Amino acid sequence: MEMANAVRALSMDAVQAAKSGHPGMPMGMADIAVYLWLQQLKHNPANPGWWDRDRFVLSNGHGSMLIYSMLHLTGYDLPIEELKNFRQLHSKTPGHPEYGLTPGVETTTGPLGQGFANAVGMALAEKALAARFNRPGHQIVDHYTYVFLGDGCLMEGISHEAASFAGTHRLEKLIAIYDDNNISIDGEVSGWFTEDIPARFKSYGWHIVEGVDGHQPDEIEAALHTARAETGRPTLICCKTVIGWGSPNKQGTAGAHGAPLGESEVELTREQIGWHHPAFHVPDSIRAAFDCRANGAMQEAKWHEKLTSYAAEYPQLAAEFSRRMEGRLPDGWSDHAAKVIRDAPDKPLATRQSSKVALDAFGPVLPELIGGSADLTGSNLTLWDGSVPLDEQSEDGSYIYFGVREFGMSAIVNGMALHGGFIPYGATFLMFSEYARNAVRMSALMGIQSIFVYTHDSIGLGEDGPTHQAVEQAATLRLIPNMSVWRPCDTQESVVAWKAALERSDGPTCLLFSRQGVVQQNRSQQQVEQIEKGGYVLVDSAEEPQVMIIATGTEVELATAAALNLSESGVQVRVVSLPCVDVFESQSQHYRETVLPPQLTKRVVIEAGVTPLWAKYAGAQGKVLGIDRFGESAPGKDLYSFFDLTVQAVERAVLELIG
């Protein structure tokens, strides 16, 4: 109890010093965290990235002082000064845990339920890697994923998606610990959250451990041993706790949830729990009992002995395992990718078909490529030739049937990317990126290599109508910081887009593909190479251009056709294909001005979507052809005519500009 009280004291002191935060959950879950971290969790504070460590996810991330206290006390590089600077500018202890900022934090959490779904992705990655690389007597992939979650996580719809998926995939090394404290911001949840959680998870195929007193170490110990002994099912441990445990006047109430206890209540709590030490002080004897550095180093050393033995018997597998965990692409990758781009078919294809061309070419040489579709496999065309469904018959498969779970899919993809050893992707229609939006944003915030494939990218989707026709989605995805968004116009651009996504290790990529077919554009070798710059001159005039047409995706075909017609009338036209705005903007000013000369102010921009983004590229003297309203239900060709996105409309716009 004294060790748990150290966590309680640090948590309430840090929140009090910051004058903001959530002390209640850390105080309520302290007993569970102390037992788990000191008795069960396999980790090495000196090497937070050790490949075979257990993963710990704090899905109820508002209680961030719980994980910061545990990281600090167990020996991670998180000194007491950082706890004193909780929630302050540039500290390593932000309001919610952030991946890449605080050593030992496995994923950014706070948007409730997503950490749980990330944990499902991590557990799936562990299972798939183990199936691929483990051999009899050589268990080099053998770790658990633990996730703390609260009432709020389980109210969120994503928890249903992720829990159902985890049960279906029998993720036996996933252990979720539910903080059943009956309190959220608005008070006692019994007024709005009355479902039978154990029954719900039982229906998903989970193993349930009920009725655990979260303040009794012997019950916590028994529950965790039971969970680890379970095979064939993930486990949910339901722990009854008291939020703000130890606070005489606020424990068990919403008053302990999301605000400092107050100076007087902090002192009363010290007396109540018998913690007779000043703020932020932990006695040396207690610190010594927390210190996991020696044990962690020993555990990792034993694992390296296993890896050495494995490498002696299976040298090729060991080399491949290391390559994948280090995130290195295979030898010869660049030459292979260049050949795929060069040999791209020149027949008319929808760019979703072009995407499959890329997957068929890249999948066989990238065993780390894994992903699937949210019940749209035949439409997204993400099942590449030779891929094997990941299921109980093929636990090392490369294709995942996610079911109609766009949000859950995206957060699971994030979890797999965070785990390592895979380049994961998830696919749906572009419109349904809306369901997945927060997980997509989180991937950009974390800077991880998640790939989101979005087909049926515009009104070209046709008869399904405005509910399914993406109009504003491409623009809003481009607004997400650190998100790379490609909207290619044909097969060569689609292959380049996939190549860029597969090579981008410091952030996610959205790939937007069309339902309808497009013609393949003619390019010189130099133009092919310039696709990777995100924007380039696709067609240029024989003389100094009078006007420039800028387009993306399926509308590039309209631009080049209009340019051809106009050139026959003596109009000097430049056509710029801009498949990836963010990559283009990252190029040198010299290159950007070579493609888009500032003095060439007469510009027409065309994209089948909302227009505000393109005002920057059109300039004050230019025109933007797009759609600033919702679509209609009709065949795609009819819709392009109805919205005046035609070759003739582009020609008219050009002629109006040049007078």
Side-chain angles (χ1 to χ4, degrees):
M1 183 65 75
E2 193 174 31
M3 296 178 73
N5 285 341
V7 174
R8 292 185 175 99
L10 286 175
S11 298
M12 69 180 183
D13 288 343
V15 172
Q16 193 62 42
K19 295 182 173 56
S20 72
H22 300 75
M25 187 280 273
M27 297 173 73
M29 295 196 79
D31 299 291
I32 306 169
V34 168
Y35 180 82
L36 174 65
W37 279 62
L38 299 188
Q39 302 299 326
Q40 294 289 340
L41 198 69
K42 183 173 67 172
H43 64 121
N44 181 6
N47 182 15
W50 167 30
W51 294 338
D52 201 43
R53 69 194 181 277
D54 289 341
R55 271 58 170 181
F56 174 79
V57 174
L58 191 74
S59 188
N60 41 355
H62 54 272
S64 56
M65 270 309 304
L66 179 69
I67 192 170
Y68 299 151
S69 298
M70 294 306 303
L71 291 168
H72 166 71
L73 290 167
T74 56
Y76 286 77
D77 183 18
L78 194 68
I80 194 68
E81 288 74 22
E82 294 293 349
L83 274 64
K84 292 178 180 178
N85 286 325
F86 178 54
R87 288 184 159 227
Q88 304 308 300
L89 186 64
H90 303 315
S91 78
K92 291 184 179 179
T93 51
H96 292 82
E98 293 185 29
Y99 171 77
L101 178 65
T102 311
V105 168
E106 300 283 3
T107 180
T108 300
T109 56
L112 294 175
Q114 282 199 65
F116 174 52
N118 294 160
V120 171
M122 293 174 188
L124 183 67
E126 190 277 342
K127 184 174 183 178
L129 274 178
R132 175 66 182 87
F133 288 103
N134 286 351
R135 294 295 183 270
H138 297 279
Q139 301 295 109
I140 62 165
V141 181
D142 185 17
H143 53 266
Y144 285 83
T145 300
Y146 297 94
V147 54
F148 281 9
L149 66 162
D151 292 306
C153 291
L154 294 181
M155 289 185 221
E156 290 286 358
I158 191 173
S159 71
H160 295 260
E161 297 180 26
S164 173
F165 181 92
T168 298
H169 283 271
R170 302 170 65 85
L171 301 179
E172 64 187 42
K173 289 189 176 178
L174 173 64
I175 299 175
I177 301 174
Y178 166 37
D179 180 31
D180 183 9
N181 64 29
N182 196 44
I183 294 292
S184 67
I185 292 175
D186 280 351
E188 293 187 11
V189 301
S190 55
W192 50 87
F193 187 53
T194 59
E195 64 197 61
D196 186 336
I197 294 298
R200 170 183 151 190
F201 272 74
K202 199 171 294 183
S203 76
Y204 296 143
W206 284 59
H207 168 229
I208 313 299
V209 182
E210 296 185 60
V212 178
D213 186 334
H215 302 297
Q216 293 297 324
D218 57 338
E219 294 192 28
I220 298 165
E221 177 182 14
L224 282 165
H225 279 299
T226 300
R228 288 171 64 94
E230 179 66 21
T231 58
R233 292 183 296 176
T235 294
L236 177 72
I237 300 175
C238 301
C239 292
K240 290 298 294 186
T241 67
V242 177
I243 192 171
W245 189 95
S247 170
N249 299 301
K250 294 189 177 182
Q251 71 174 21
T253 73
H257 183 277
L261 297 179
E263 294 289 353
S264 61
E265 188 68 14
V266 166
E267 292 309 311
L268 289 172
T269 303
R270 277 187 160 76
E271 290 299 319
Q272 180 79 10
I273 66 176
W275 188 257
H276 304 298
H277 309 288
F280 295 105
H281 178 74
V282 178
D284 290 344
S285 59
I286 296 178
R287 286 190 174 278
F290 267 106
D291 194 340
C292 291
R293 287 173 291 188
N295 186 57
M298 180 184 68
Q299 288 181 314
E300 184 175 354
K302 287 182 178 179
W303 178 79
H304 279 289
E305 290 175 5
K306 286 184 182 180
L307 187 62
T308 299
S309 174
Y310 177 79
E313 190 166 349
Y314 303 101
Q316 290 182 325
L317 278 175
E320 176 68 1
F321 175 72
S322 296
R323 179 191 73 77
R324 285 176 57 169
M325 293 305 293
E326 290 167 3
R328 291 183 287 109
L329 292 170
D331 293 341
W333 162 256
S334 295
D335 290 342
H336 177 75
K339 183 177 185 303
V340 175
I341 296 167
R342 184 175 62 250
D343 296 344
D346 59 4
K347 61 183 179 181
L349 293 172
T351 55
R352 61 176 174 148
Q353 294 173 305
S354 300
S355 170
K356 188 173 184 298
V357 169
L359 281 168
D360 286 342
F362 293 148
V365 301
L366 291 175
E368 60 264 51
L369 184 62
I370 189 168
S373 168
D375 202 52
L376 288 168
T377 295
S379 296
N380 298 148
L381 302 180
T382 43
L383 181 62
W384 50 272
D385 294 345
S387 60
V388 176
L390 190 156
D391 54 28
E392 287 303 304
Q393 286 68 48
S394 301
E395 293 182 349
D396 63 342
S398 56
Y399 192 78
I400 304 170
Y401 289 95
F402 284 105
V404 187
R405 302 183 179 103
E406 294 89 355
F407 193 6
M409 171 186 71
S410 303
I412 289 167
V413 163
N414 288 347
M416 297 190 80
L418 288 159
H419 180 279
F422 291 101
I423 300 176
Y425 66 91
T428 185
F429 287 176
L430 178 56
M431 174 53 65
F432 303 133
S433 65
E434 296 294 346
Y435 282 137
R437 175 72 58 165
N438 202 261
V440 173
R441 179 180 184 270
M442 293 291 280
S443 69
L445 178 61
M446 291 188 280
I448 57 176
Q449 192 177 15
S450 298
I451 300 174
F452 303 106
V453 179
Y454 296 131
T455 69
H456 297 61
D457 70 346
S458 69
I459 58 168
L461 175 134
E463 293 88 342
D464 279 335
T467 60
H468 285 52
Q469 290 165 7
V471 174
E472 75 274 23
Q473 283 65 37
T476 56
L477 288 170
R478 291 179 180 124
L479 292 174
I480 299 174
N482 195 38
M483 178 60 70
S484 192
V485 181
W486 287 81
R487 187 170 185 253
C489 75
D490 65 2
T491 301
Q492 276 193 318
E493 285 194 0
S494 297
V495 174
V496 170
W498 262 108
K499 175 177 181 288
L502 294 167
E503 292 178 349
R504 186 179 192 231
S505 60
D506 59 352
T509 302
C510 292
L511 302 174
L512 316 188
F513 298 119
S514 72
R515 177 195 183 195
Q516 70 272 33
V518 291
V519 300
Q520 306 301 311
Q521 301 296 327
N522 295 317
R523 297 178 182 84
S524 66
Q525 183 56 38
Q526 182 184 36
Q527 288 173 313
V528 171
E529 293 169 358
Q530 288 175 340
I531 296 172
E532 293 194 32
K533 295 181 181 292
Y536 62 102
V537 178
L538 178 60
V539 175
D540 215 356
S541 54
E543 302 174 15
E544 189 72 18
Q546 300 168 266
V547 67
M548 178 162 47
I549 306 172
I550 304 168
T552 79
T554 46
E555 288 71 68
V556 169
E557 179 179 324
L558 304 180
T560 55
L564 178 61
N565 293 343
L566 290 164
S567 66
E568 292 174 352
S569 302
V571 180
Q572 304 298 312
V573 183
R574 168 176 289 191
V575 175
V576 171
S577 178
L578 202 61
C580 189
V581 173
D582 55 277
V583 169
F584 180 72
E585 291 291 348
S586 72
Q587 304 303 316
S588 68
Q589 181 179 350
H590 172 75
Y591 178 78
R592 285 183 281 120
E593 291 185 353
T594 299
V595 176
L596 305 176
Q599 68 275 15
L600 187 52
T601 58
K602 295 178 179 179
R603 302 177 177 186
V604 175
V605 184
I606 178 170
E607 184 177 69
V610 294
T611 61
L613 170 73
W614 296 114
K616 169 183 176 181
Y617 293 92
Q621 298 182 44
K623 290 179 176 291
V624 181
L625 305 182
I627 306 172
D628 287 314
R629 51 154 289 187
F630 296 120
E632 299 278 350
S633 180
K637 289 184 179 180
D638 294 346
L639 290 171
Y640 269 82
S641 296
F642 176 76
F643 286 106
D644 208 19
L645 297 176
T646 62
V647 173
Q648 294 74 25
V650 177
E651 292 175 18
R652 286 197 304 273
V654 167
L655 294 174
E656 288 172 7
L657 283 180
I658 64 176

